[in-house]
Amino acid sequence: MLINAVGVSSHIASTLKPGTRVILMGPTGTGLPVPENATVTVAGSHSAVTSTVDGAAMWRAAGNRIVFIGHFRDAERARAVQRAIEILTDQAIWVLDEGPALKLRRQQDACFVHGLDEFLQSCAEMDAPFAEWVSSTDQLILSDHPESMEIFRTMLSGDLKPYLKPGFNAIAAVNSPMQCMMKEVCAQCLCRHVDSVTGEPSRYVFSCFNQHQPLFELDFKNLLARQGQNSVQEKLSNAWLDYLIEGRQTEPAMQDAVSAWAHEVTHEPVDQDNHPAP
């Protein structure tokens, strides 16, 4: 089992000791797509690594080729997952926001050190090895920050569209709040979709039922608002857990941290036209 180090639940899990009894609830949601004899491209940051770990064995068993496009801030962050990705994939393309470049260990891999926007634009303009994924991909799975996934969508529906395969399919991992086990009960994970042609709101879906949703139908502004709705609560919970478990936070330090976060939140600009769905 793989646990991403994000939030209070994973923080609690990190304190578990060998021999501790753990009860798991699941499986839940909808599994990753498994085409046959196709090219599966997984793109994104650390959560894309999770998707690759989760799906690689199934995809290989079905005769698929696996390409990984890793979007990281720098080489140090990419290096932390490089060996695992090399074991799981047929090709890795590392897209870094800042240099220096990542040292490559496979001939088929590539590293691009000018950020995601320039990488995708270069894929449309250059006949380079790192651009081959565009014309070879059958199934794209995106798992990144909403802003980065929206950049992918803009390019795929614009400059990159002429190079896409017929039948090309793209889905994005929607990390809404409260993707619980009960399924379609509390509605905190509702995500708004839009018509891919008109851009007008079309429906609301429960992300707990299926985290991977059609890329060209997602309302990323709504998703950003959703992800921010529990921000203060999550930060306070993490700070309190630090105080309880690690014992490193003094009460004055806690008060300073809470004051800083409260100031940050209350001074963030609010888009009056972009409230989360009720």
Side-chain angles (χ1 to χ4, degrees):
M1 185 174 67
L2 180 66
I3 300 176
N4 279 339
V6 179
V8 174
S9 299
S10 59
H11 194 164
I12 294 174
S14 70
T15 67
L16 297 174
K17 306 297 182 184
T20 302
R21 187 183 182 193
V22 177
I23 299 174
L24 301 179
M25 184 176 179
T28 181
T30 303
L32 290 165
V34 185
E36 295 183 356
N37 302 313
T39 295
V40 177
T41 297
V42 185
S45 55
H46 287 90
S47 54
V49 177
T50 306
S51 298
T52 307
V53 172
D54 189 25
M58 296 183 296
W59 294 329
R60 285 197 184 282
N64 295 297
R65 178 174 179 263
I66 306 171
V67 177
F68 177 79
I69 302 175
H71 176 213
F72 296 91
R73 186 179 69 187
D74 51 39
E76 182 179 358
R77 291 173 180 258
R79 193 178 299 112
V81 298
Q82 183 180 16
R83 188 168 296 279
I85 289 298
E86 288 172 346
I87 294 172
L88 296 170
T89 66
D90 297 286
Q91 182 185 24
I93 304 167
W94 306 94
V95 182
L96 308 181
D97 292 327
E98 56 190 55
L102 179 69
K103 184 178 179 180
L104 302 176
R105 295 192 287 242
R106 299 191 302 184
Q107 185 177 1
Q108 68 269 35
D109 294 347
C111 183
F112 192 92
V113 194
H114 299 286
L116 185 61
D117 291 270
E118 288 197 32
F119 166 72
L120 292 174
Q121 192 61 49
S122 296
C123 288
E125 297 173 353
M126 298 174 60
D127 183 17
F130 62 75
E132 292 178 358
W133 68 273
V134 179
S135 59
S136 64
T137 297
D138 298 281
Q139 175 67 64
L140 176 66
I141 301 171
L142 275 176
S143 189
D144 207 335
H145 300 295
E147 300 98 324
S148 298
M149 294 196 292
E150 189 167 18
I151 292 172
F152 259 101
R153 180 174 68 183
T154 300
M155 289 298 297
L156 290 170
S157 59
D159 292 349
L160 294 177
K161 187 174 182 179
Y163 307 104
L164 298 178
K165 267 187 173 183
F168 170 84
N169 185 53
I171 58 176
V174 176
N175 295 302
S176 295
M178 295 299 294
Q179 293 183 185
C180 68
M181 300 289 182
M182 294 184 288
K183 297 291 161 286
E184 303 183 6
V185 173
C186 71
Q188 288 194 62
C189 72
L190 278 182
C191 185
R192 186 165 63 193
H193 283 195
V194 296
D195 186 283
S196 59
V197 177
T198 66
E200 294 297 318
S202 59
R203 59 175 179 163
Y204 291 90
V205 301
F206 287 91
S207 299
C208 60
F209 184 77
N210 189 356
Q211 182 178 359
H212 295 93
Q213 300 172 28
L215 174 65
F216 299 106
E217 296 179 16
L218 283 176
D219 185 333
F220 284 108
K221 290 184 179 179
N222 177 258
L223 177 58
L224 272 172
R226 275 293 185 194
Q227 291 182 346
Q229 68 188 36
N230 292 335
S231 177
V232 175
Q233 179 181 343
E234 291 170 357
K235 290 173 180 175
L236 288 174
S237 297
N238 267 312
W240 180 242
L241 196 62
D242 282 339
Y243 179 74
L244 292 177
I245 294 177
E246 300 177 9
R248 297 173 184 171
Q249 294 277 8
T250 63
E251 289 187 9
M254 283 285 289
Q255 293 170 359
D256 291 343
V258 171
S259 297
W261 289 327
H263 181 274
E264 174 189 339
V265 172
T266 55
H267 286 75
E268 286 181 352
V270 177
D271 184 353
Q272 299 295 335
D273 298 325
N274 185 33
H275 292 300

